[in-house]
Amino acid sequence: MKFKVIALLVAFISLIAACKSDEQQEFMRYYNGGNLLYKQHCQNCHGAQGQGLSQLIPPLTDSVYLKTNREKLSCLVNYGIEENVVVINKKAYQGSMPATDLPPVDIAKVLTYINNSFGNKLGLINVETVEKHLAACK
Amino acid sequence: MRNVTLAALVLLTTFTACKFNDPEKPKLPIMGQRDAVTRVVNGKEVVDTVYKTIPAFKFVNQYGDSITNKSLDGYVYVADFFFTTCPSICPVMHRNMLKIYDTYKDVKDFKIISHTIDPKHDSVEVLKKYADKLGISGNNWWLLQGKKEETYTLGQKDYLVAVMQDNGAPGGYVHQGWFVLIDKDKRIRGYYDGTDEKQVEKLSGDIKILLDEYNTAEKPE
């Protein structure tokens, strides 16, 4: 009897763990892919710790900015920024950001990485979300 | 035969011991092409080695001041090539150069010079703005602007680094991220990849070695 209960309990826990790991695996797939893409496309300017560069290049550590502009992030990565002022961590940064030719899936990966690194904890941004946001770019 | 081996071993040990007891100060190599020049001193022929040196130049810095090779007399300096709109390696180079700037900004015989390879866009005004945003002030780090040909020749022929315009390259220019270390005699003493944090750390140590070289030499025996 006791053995049966334990076996049932183990089975139950494994099931939960398996469910969770499915979600987590998807997240990790995006995050790890994003890490690589970040190094290739973003790190030179924004830095290995997302620290930016003095007043020249904004850091990527402003969780409030990332959260409130979540729907615009895909557009920014895709089309870049044309000579404009952005306020990050209450400081104004003036300049441009080059556009990229990354496909939506890579934009999703790199955004997932940025939104969950450098002190940010804003969860997964998947390819469907990015495609939706890109369709609404102005 | 056996005695010879033994003698050699003893000799070797002695040398090693000597070296161990008398650690030589580390010295940086002198780089670039060198020539041997023979001259006559007191009726005897003497061969001198003539090292490659950085020749005369004339540029303008971010304050609009005229800067020539003479402005760097008596300074150990680091030179690099960049442009303010560079989307590729310049930000990482200057993030690393800032560490050198911060470490040595109170050293009176050290300077940094950054030549813009896009003088058309990078006017004195643009360079000053860049300097302000980068967070540098004073006269320890000059951003230099001048004739494009002069800058390119200086880079290619004298600092021996690649600089050229190429509309196919990111931002329109090809250039490498070298930091070049120059001594007070205007000789090249080291090349460091300015995009590599480890190499920039080595540069920081080598600057100290080079400054020590002069400080020791200047002291009376």
Side-chain angles (χ1 to χ4, degrees):
Chain A
M1 179 60 197
K2 203 170 185 179
F3 178 73
K4 260 189 185 167
V5 172
I6 292 172
L8 211 68
L9 208 69
V10 168
F12 187 64
I13 290 169
S14 321
L15 202 69
I16 292 177
C19 283
K20 195 175 178 193
S21 88
D22 250 10
E23 216 172 89
Q24 221 165 29
Q25 257 175 19
E26 192 191 13
F27 175 81
M28 285 319 288
R29 211 169 47 235
Y30 272 88
Y31 183 88
N32 290 332
N35 186 1
L36 195 67
L37 288 162
Y38 182 81
K39 281 185 186 147
Q40 291 165 344
H41 297 274
C42 319
Q43 186 167 306
N44 270 342
C45 291
H46 289 290
Q49 283 85 45
Q51 76 272 39
L53 175 58
S54 306
Q55 289 295 297
L56 283 168
I57 296 157
L60 303 173
T61 53
D62 189 342
S63 292
V64 177
Y65 178 89
L66 291 172
K67 203 173 173 185
T68 47
N69 292 281
R70 195 174 175 91
E71 297 187 359
K72 288 187 209 152
L73 298 178
S74 301
C75 304
L76 296 182
V77 172
N78 196 356
Y79 298 109
I81 298 172
E82 190 75 41
E83 194 62 30
N84 206 345
V85 178
V86 278
V87 178
I88 303 290
N89 294 333
K90 292 175 186 148
K91 279 186 194 153
Y93 293 83
Q94 189 184 355
S96 313
M97 183 168 86
T100 62
D101 49 5
L102 293 176
V105 64
D106 284 351
I107 294 178
K109 283 175 185 170
V110 82
L111 283 179
T112 299
Y113 178 73
I114 291 165
N115 276 276
N116 296 281
S117 302
F118 324 132
N120 306 316
K121 268 204 167 105
L122 297 164
L124 174 76
I125 297 182
N126 63 20
V127 63
E128 289 80 15
T129 312
V130 167
E131 275 166 349
K132 199 174 77 194
H133 291 165
L134 282 177
C137 285
K138 278 168 199 155
Chain B
M1 185 60 208
R2 211 189 174 136
N3 280 345
V4 176
T5 317
L6 195 71
L9 201 71
V10 169
L11 210 64
L12 199 72
T13 317
T14 318
F15 271 123
T16 319
C18 283
K19 223 173 190 171
F20 181 75
N21 288 332
D22 178 29
E24 250 179 73
K25 275 203 160 185
K27 252 190 133 182
L28 304 180
I30 298 169
M31 296 172 163
Q33 196 177 333
R34 59 187 66 180
D35 290 312
V37 173
T38 312
R39 59 191 178 105
V40 179
V41 178
N42 297 332
K44 277 186 196 161
E45 278 199 349
V46 183
V47 179
D48 281 344
T49 311
V50 177
Y51 294 98
K52 161 127 204 83
T53 56
I54 303 300
F57 58 74
K58 191 166 189 262
F59 295 111
V60 176
N61 71 8
Q62 70 265 41
Y63 306 111
D65 301 330
S66 173
I67 301 297
T68 70
N69 50 310
K70 288 218 165 57
S71 317
L72 289 153
D73 285 352
Y75 290 96
V76 162
Y77 71 94
V78 176
D80 76 353
F81 293 83
F82 85 115
F83 55 111
T84 60
T85 52
C86 164
S88 52
I89 56 174
C90 305
V92 67
M93 283 165 67
H94 281 177
R95 183 179 296 120
N96 287 329
M97 193 69 101
L98 263 182
K99 290 181 200 157
I100 301 288
Y101 171 81
D102 284 333
T103 308
Y104 289 98
K105 67 178 166 193
D106 296 325
V107 175
K108 62 177 192 336
D109 49 352
F110 175 76
K111 274 191 198 302
I112 299 168
I113 59 171
S114 293
H115 295 272
T116 174
I117 58 174
D118 183 10
K120 204 173 157 193
H121 178 270
D122 293 344
S123 61
V124 167
E125 196 191 351
V126 169
L127 291 177
K128 176 66 168 64
K129 216 171 183 181
Y130 180 89
D132 290 346
K133 284 188 181 178
L134 190 61
I136 62 172
S137 56
N139 280 291
N140 295 329
W141 189 347
W142 285 331
L143 308 176
L144 300 181
Q145 190 253 23
K147 284 205 193 86
K148 196 162 140 188
E149 295 71 35
E150 199 181 342
T151 305
Y152 283 32
T153 306
L154 194 68
Q156 290 163 1
K157 300 258 158 53
D158 299 306
Y159 289 107
L160 310 172
V161 296
V163 235
M164 62 187 104
Q165 188 158 3
D166 176 356
N167 294 334
Y173 296 90
V174 172
H175 77 302
Q176 300 163 322
W178 294 110
F179 292 171
V180 189
L181 179 59
I182 307 294
D183 68 17
K184 291 185 183 180
D185 298 299
K186 307 200 187 290
R187 298 173 303 188
I188 302 169
R189 302 301 291 270
Y191 287 94
Y192 311 83
D193 180 353
T195 64
D196 182 341
E197 231 171 300
K198 285 258 156 28
Q199 289 210 22
V200 176
E201 268 170 40
K202 177 159 191 323
L203 167 62
S204 195
D206 284 359
I207 291 168
K208 183 161 189 322
I209 291 170
L210 193 52
L211 288 166
D212 283 351
E213 206 178 277
Y214 283 98
N215 292 338
T216 318
E218 277 161 17
K219 266 180 206 156
E221 290 286 317

